[in-house]
Amino acid sequence: MKYLITGGCGFIGSHLAETLTSYGEDVSVIDDLSTGSLENVKNIYCNKKFHLFIDTILNCALLEELIKQSDFVFHLAAVVGVKRVMENPVDSVIINVEGTYNVLRYCTKYNKKIFIASTSEIYGKNENVPFKEDADIVIGTTKKKRWSYACTKAIDEFLAFAFFEEKALSVIVARLFNTVGPRQSDRYGMVIPRFIKQALNNTPITVFGNGQQTRCFIHVKDIVNGIIELIKKDEAYGDVFNMGSEEEITIKDLAETIKNITGSSSDIIFVNPQDIYSKGFEDMTKRVPDISKIRALTGFSPQFTIKDIIKDCIEDVTKKSQTR
Ligand code: UDP
C-alpha cells in the first residue's frame, strides 16, 4: 500500500508515519513544517520507503499529484493547539477548511479512501459527559477566537459526510481527545508538555482557573494503533468515532502528579488564562469520551495510564536535553 499523510511531520502524523514505515509500508508525507519538524521524522528520514514533501496542502498541484499516486490518505494537517489557533486566526480557518476541501475533492476525483482527524474540541462547552458521537455541539460566540477551531473542524466533518453521501467517497472521521506523548511541543499551549517543562525547570506550574476542569489524556501510540485498526473496517466508512481515554483527571491533579513524578520544587500557581492568551479564551470544564462505538467495532482499548504517559514524555524531554 502507498499511504499519504498530510501533516506527517507533526506530533501524531510522525508517529503514524513511523509505525507504517516499520510495517514496511510506503509512506509519503506533505507538511509545511508550521508546527511539525524534521526532528520528528529523523528516525525514518533515510528510509527508502519514506518520501517527504515540504509544502502546504493549499498547493493544489502537488496535493493532487500526491493523492493520485497514493492508495490511502490520512488527513492530519491542520492548525492545532489553542495558543496557535488564537495567535493565527486567519490561517486556522483557511488551512483547516480550504485544505480539507482540497484533500476531499482530490480523494473523490481519484477514488481514494481517506481518514480525517477531527477533534474533541467539537463538543465545546457541552458538559453532559461522557460525549457520544451524536451529542450536541455547544460552541461559544464568534468573538471568542478559541471556538474557530471547533467550527472549522465541524465544517470539515460536514464536508466529509457530504462527500460520502453525494460522491460516494470512502471517508472515516475520528474525533481525537487530548492526545499526548513523546515529541509533543510545549509551544502551542498543550498542557502536559508545558507542565513538564515548568516542572523540570523548577519554575511555577501554571494551572489555569481553579484547576477543577477535567480532561482525559491518551497516549499517541494508542491513537496510532486505533487508527490503523479502524481503517481496516468497512463499516467505519461514512461514520464518525470518538478516540480517547476514559481516565479523567482534573488539571490541578495533573499538575500535582507531574510535580511528584519529576521531584520538582516548582510551586503550583493558579493563573487567569486571559493573562497568558489574548482576550477570547474560554475553557471547557469537562471533556470525557464515550468510546463504546469504536470499542464495539474494533475492540479499541487504550493501554497507557496517565502516569505511563507522563513518564514517557519526561523521558523524551530528558533524552533530548542530553543529546543537545
Ligand atoms: N492548561 C493549564 N495550564 C497551561 C495550559 C493549559 O491549566 O499552561 C489547561 C487548559 O486550561 C485546559 C487543559 O489544561 O483546561 C488542557 O489544555 P490543552 O490546551 O492541552 O487542551 P484542550 O484545552 O484543547 O483540552
Side-chain angles (χ1 to χ4, degrees):
M1 286 282 280
K2 282 182 157 196
Y3 293 97
L4 173 66
I5 307 177
T6 72
C9 292
F11 161 57
I12 302 174
S14 65
H15 282 278
L16 180 61
E18 208 169 283
T19 303
L20 291 172
T21 313
S22 76
Y23 295 157
E25 305 287 7
D26 192 291
V27 177
S28 292
V29 158
I30 178 168
D31 198 303
D32 65 1
L33 301 185
S34 50
T35 49
S37 69
L38 294 179
E39 165 91 14
N40 282 349
V41 289
K42 69 171 189 227
N43 298 339
I44 47 176
Y45 197 77
C46 296
N47 188 312
K48 285 201 178 84
K49 289 189 160 182
F50 178 73
H51 321 282
L52 177 59
F53 299 84
I54 300 172
D55 212 324
T56 161
I57 51 171
L58 301 183
N59 177 347
C60 291
L62 176 63
L63 184 71
E64 178 169 7
E65 191 53 34
L66 291 176
I67 289 176
K68 193 174 162 187
Q69 288 173 14
S70 66
D71 299 310
F72 191 99
V73 177
F74 293 99
H75 177 44
L76 274 65
V79 173
V80 291
V82 176
K83 189 164 182 288
R84 182 146 185 269
V85 166
M86 296 199 47
E87 286 170 359
N88 303 275
V90 174
D91 270 7
S92 299
V93 175
I94 301 301
I95 303 270
N96 293 0
V97 177
E98 189 181 330
T100 300
Y101 173 60
N102 289 341
V103 175
L104 284 168
R105 68 196 167 102
Y106 293 128
C107 284
T108 304
K109 184 170 175 185
Y110 296 104
N111 197 21
K112 308 294 179 179
K113 289 184 170 179
I114 169 172
F115 168 91
I116 297 190
S118 185
T119 172
S120 57
E121 183 92 1
I122 286 255
Y123 297 104
K125 294 192 280 185
N126 190 337
E127 291 186 359
N128 200 7
V129 292
F131 302 133
K132 272 188 177 299
E133 286 82 354
D134 58 3
D136 285 338
I137 292 176
V138 185
I139 299 295
T141 167
T142 51
K143 294 299 281 180
K144 296 213 163 149
K145 285 181 281 184
R146 186 210 177 113
W147 300 116
S148 79
Y149 180 61
C151 286
T152 60
K153 286 295 189 171
I155 292 286
D156 290 352
E157 291 196 13
F158 278 121
L159 265 177
F161 301 133
F163 272 95
F164 173 77
E165 278 182 32
E166 276 182 39
K167 317 271 184 197
L169 175 70
S170 293
V171 55
I172 300 176
V173 177
R175 295 181 185 148
L176 311 186
F177 283 65
N178 294 78
T179 306
V180 285
R183 294 188 200 141
Q184 190 174 40
S185 170
D186 63 287
R187 286 198 295 274
Y188 310 112
M190 282 82 168
V191 66
I192 289 190
R194 277 170 72 92
F195 282 3
I196 288 176
K197 187 177 185 186
Q198 292 166 339
L200 291 176
N201 291 338
N202 295 311
T203 56
I205 300 178
T206 55
V207 171
F208 291 170
N210 63 10
Q212 290 310 307
Q213 68 273 34
T214 68
R215 294 292 187 272
C216 299
F217 296 95
I218 183 165
H219 198 295
V220 64
K221 284 187 183 158
D222 280 325
I223 285 289
V224 165
N225 292 337
I227 292 172
I228 290 171
E229 289 311 307
L230 186 61
I231 67 164
K232 293 178 188 163
K233 300 287 179 191
D234 289 342
E235 310 93 291
Y237 290 83
D239 213 343
V240 56
F241 298 86
N242 288 333
M243 293 184 77
S245 157
E246 293 168 299
E247 189 186 358
E248 189 178 7
I249 185 168
T250 67
I251 298 303
K252 180 168 174 280
D253 286 348
L254 178 72
E256 278 161 6
T257 309
I258 290 177
K259 181 174 153 121
N260 289 340
I261 294 179
T262 51
S264 170
S265 62
S266 294
D267 289 328
I268 295 176
I269 60 167
F270 296 87
V271 297
N272 180 352
Q274 301 277 357
D275 297 339
I276 296 191
Y277 297 133
S278 57
K279 271 199 299 192
F281 177 82
E282 193 167 23
D283 214 349
M284 272 78 87
T285 54
K286 279 178 176 294
R287 190 186 274 167
V288 183
D290 180 319
I291 55 171
S292 49
K293 189 170 167 183
I294 189 167
R295 187 184 282 138
L297 186 61
T298 69
F300 178 72
S301 169
Q303 299 299 302
F304 293 86
T305 65
I306 184 67
K307 286 195 177 151
D308 298 331
I309 295 172
I310 293 169
K311 284 181 188 153
D312 246 16
C313 294
I314 294 170
E315 200 184 300
D316 179 56
V317 175
T318 320
K319 241 193 268 163
K320 270 189 198 142
S321 66
Q322 283 165 353
T323 53
R324 280 208 179 105

